[in-house]
């Protein structure tokens, strides 16, 4: 059944991934959350979860996140799966739709993983063709997410960020910037995480993901595992701060898929994301005002400026001051000490 929902465009605020343990509470409480994201494959049939999502969709903007299209498959996108995704989009009318830059199908068998590509012209041609097929079928722009990586192909002719930038150029798709995935991959493969973000075309980034990761000791090495099983760690908050400082606010999702906590923990993480983003933008406006105030202003402009100051936002100002103090646990110091090796 296709329903006509009121348009609820996703704002540049933080939302949470809707997981089954929280559905009942979300329906009864209707807590303040910027928006919700669901995995498309969980809503391709019928049942209580589907009915619940239809009710929640009336209150919250919605993003649909796919994990099974296998955009890197040389044989093309599975048309049956794509049609199921189309029906999900028609039914729930999400404001955003996204998928991964990965492959997960071989000889008709679906693998329970998202596997990396070789980043070269041949792979780019395949992925671009598949993305165009998906966008033509869904009749909408799709956001493509960067992958968490543990190995890389030695014969790639470009890096993942360059590959994604070229994919945007060829297909008009958007990007989903998973900041945690950048951190995991940059550490494991030893490249500069901030440089990765800076390579992406800023205007194409329609969504950001934040999550926690696990740290594994493998011999003398430390390997980060993208398990979505903990709070967003300080190093990821630091990278998020860099992203927002460059991009401006974006719809930001808190992902948590293993060891799922109570709902209020996810809502609290989303609150921190909103506060950090607002603080960055507040400080940017303050710096611009200070620069402007140093110039000789016409008298009429000075009156308007002083009036604007009296209408300031003390909550954001207080957060900015707290962020700079020693008691603020949210943002770690700048990454140094060899945690990343430059590319």
């Amino acid at each position: 059944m296709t329903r006509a929902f009121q348009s609820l465009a996703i704002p540049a605020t933080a939302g949470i991934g809707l997981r089954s343990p929280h559905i009942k509470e979300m329906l009864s409480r209707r807590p303040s959350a910027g928006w919700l994201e669901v995995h498309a494959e969980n809503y391709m049939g019928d049942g209580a979860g589907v009915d619940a999502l239809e009710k929640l969709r009336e209150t919250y903007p919605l993003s649909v996140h796919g994990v099974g299209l296998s955009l890197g498959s040389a044989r093309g996108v599975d048309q049956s799966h794509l049609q199921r995704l189309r029906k999900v989009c028609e039914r729930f009318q999400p404001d955003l739709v996204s998928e991964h830059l990965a492959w997960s199908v071989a000889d008709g068998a679906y693998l329970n993983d998202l596997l990396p590509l070789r980043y070269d012209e041949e792979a780019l041609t395949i992925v671009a063709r598949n993305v165009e097929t998906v966008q033509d079928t869904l009749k909408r722009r799709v956001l493509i997410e960067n992958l968490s990586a543990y190995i890389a192909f030695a014969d790639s002719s470009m890096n993942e960020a360059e590959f994604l930038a070229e994919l945007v150029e060829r297909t008009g798709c958007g990007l989903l910037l998973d900041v945690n995935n950048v951190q995991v991959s940059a550490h494991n493969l030893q490249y500069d995480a901030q440089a990765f973000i800076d390579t992406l075309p800023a205007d194409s980034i329609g969504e950001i993901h934040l999550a926690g990761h696990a740290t594994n000791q493998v011999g003398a090495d430390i390997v980060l595992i993208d398990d979505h099983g903990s709070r967003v760690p300080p190093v990821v908050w630091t990278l998020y701060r860099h992203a927002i400082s460059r991009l401006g606010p974006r719809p930001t999702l808190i992902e948590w898929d293993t060891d799922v906590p109570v709902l209020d923990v996810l809502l609290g993480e989303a609150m921190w994301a909103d506060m950090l983003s607002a603080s960055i933008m507040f400080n940017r406006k303050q710096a611009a005002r200070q620069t402007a105030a140093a110039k000789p202003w016409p008298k009429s402009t000075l009156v308007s400026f002083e009036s604007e100051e009296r209408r300031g936002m003390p909550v954001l100002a207080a957060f900015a001051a707290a962020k700079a103090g020693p008691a603020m646990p949210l943002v770690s110091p700048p990454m140094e000490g060899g945690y990343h090796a430059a590319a």
Side-chain angles (χ1 to χ4, degrees), residues 231-282:
R231 292 180 183 271
V232 179
V235 69
V236 175
W237 284 123
T238 297
L239 196 56
Y240 179 63
R241 179 178 61 186
H242 174 79
I244 295 301
S245 296
R246 175 176 180 259
L247 305 172
R250 292 289 192 277
T252 298
L253 183 81
I254 302 298
E255 281 193 300
W256 205 313
D257 296 309
T258 60
D259 296 325
V260 178
V262 297
L263 178 59
D264 284 341
V265 172
L266 270 69
L267 296 172
E269 293 287 276
M271 178 195 70
W272 281 118
D274 279 337
M275 292 181 71
L276 178 55
S277 178
S279 173
I280 291 167
M281 302 312 295
F282 179 83

Side-chain angles (χ1 to χ4, degrees), residues 11-332:
T13 57
I16 62 171
L18 181 65
R19 301 297 176 256
S20 56
H22 301 145
I23 290 177
K24 184 177 180 180
E25 187 176 1
M26 287 293 300
L27 286 168
S28 60
R29 280 180 54 189
R30 302 295 171 107
S32 177
W35 50 285
L36 302 177
E37 183 164 280
V38 298
H39 287 157
E41 287 72 14
N42 292 336
Y43 295 89
M44 289 182 171
D46 292 303
V50 173
D51 293 339
L53 185 59
E54 286 194 330
K55 294 175 183 177
L56 290 171
R57 179 66 177 100
E58 296 171 354
T59 302
Y60 300 99
L62 180 67
S63 173
V64 165
H65 190 46
V67 298
L69 277 178
S70 191
L71 294 175
S73 294
R75 293 187 177 182
V77 176
D78 183 305
Q79 285 297 319
S80 296
H81 189 88
L82 180 56
Q83 290 304 317
R84 289 191 291 270
L85 177 60
R86 178 184 62 79
K87 291 178 181 178
V88 169
C89 292
E90 289 178 350
R91 182 170 195 167
F92 297 106
Q93 300 170 38
D95 302 286
L96 295 175
V97 177
S98 55
E99 247 291 354
H100 298 81
L101 180 65
W103 65 276
S104 55
V105 179
D107 295 328
Y110 277 81
L111 308 175
N112 190 29
D113 210 341
L114 297 168
L115 301 172
L117 306 172
R118 186 180 68 242
Y119 300 123
D120 60 12
E121 180 62 33
E122 182 181 4
L124 182 59
T125 299
I126 291 170
V127 175
R129 181 192 66 211
N130 290 340
V131 168
E132 288 176 340
T133 297
V134 173
Q135 293 188 142
D136 289 345
T137 300
L138 301 184
K139 296 181 173 54
R140 63 163 67 221
R141 185 181 73 155
V142 174
L143 308 181
I144 308 302
E145 179 183 349
N146 57 291
L147 204 61
S148 54
Y150 310 94
I151 58 172
F153 288 90
D155 55 350
S156 289
S157 59
M158 63 187 86
N159 61 42
E160 184 185 20
E162 294 168 338
F163 189 99
L164 285 167
E166 184 61 29
L167 184 65
V168 170
E169 180 67 24
R170 295 192 185 188
T171 68
C173 70
L175 297 179
L176 193 169
L177 171 60
D178 191 311
V179 175
N180 182 62
N181 286 0
V182 175
Q183 177 62 32
V184 167
S185 300
H187 172 84
N188 292 341
L189 303 183
Q190 293 294 286
Y191 61 78
D192 189 315
Q194 293 188 3
F196 181 102
I197 293 174
D198 293 344
T199 300
L200 300 175
D203 291 345
S204 69
I205 298 174
E207 183 181 337
I208 292 176
H209 277 185
L210 296 175
H213 55 254
T215 301
N216 285 13
Q217 188 80 34
V218 181
D221 298 324
I222 293 177
V223 178
L224 302 186
I225 306 296
D226 178 34
D227 67 347
H228 296 179
S230 57
R231 292 180 183 271
V232 179
V235 69
V236 175
W237 284 123
T238 297
L239 196 56
Y240 179 63
R241 179 178 61 186
H242 174 79
I244 295 301
S245 296
R246 175 176 180 259
L247 305 172
R250 292 289 192 277
T252 298
L253 183 81
I254 302 298
E255 281 193 300
W256 205 313
D257 296 309
T258 60
D259 296 325
V260 178
V262 297
L263 178 59
D264 284 341
V265 172
L266 270 69
L267 296 172
E269 293 287 276
M271 178 195 70
W272 281 118
D274 279 337
M275 292 181 71
L276 178 55
S277 178
S279 173
I280 291 167
M281 302 312 295
F282 179 83
N283 290 337
R284 179 182 295 180
K285 290 178 181 178
Q286 288 294 88
R289 287 173 175 172
Q290 290 170 5
T291 300
K295 299 178 181 179
W297 287 57
K299 185 175 180 180
S300 60
T301 309
L302 277 173
V303 170
S304 175
F305 174 78
E306 291 169 357
S307 176
E308 176 83 6
E309 284 297 298
R310 287 196 295 270
R311 296 196 303 270
M313 301 183 70
V315 173
L316 297 185
F319 178 74
K323 182 168 69 70
M328 181 60 195
L330 175 60
V331 180
S332 67

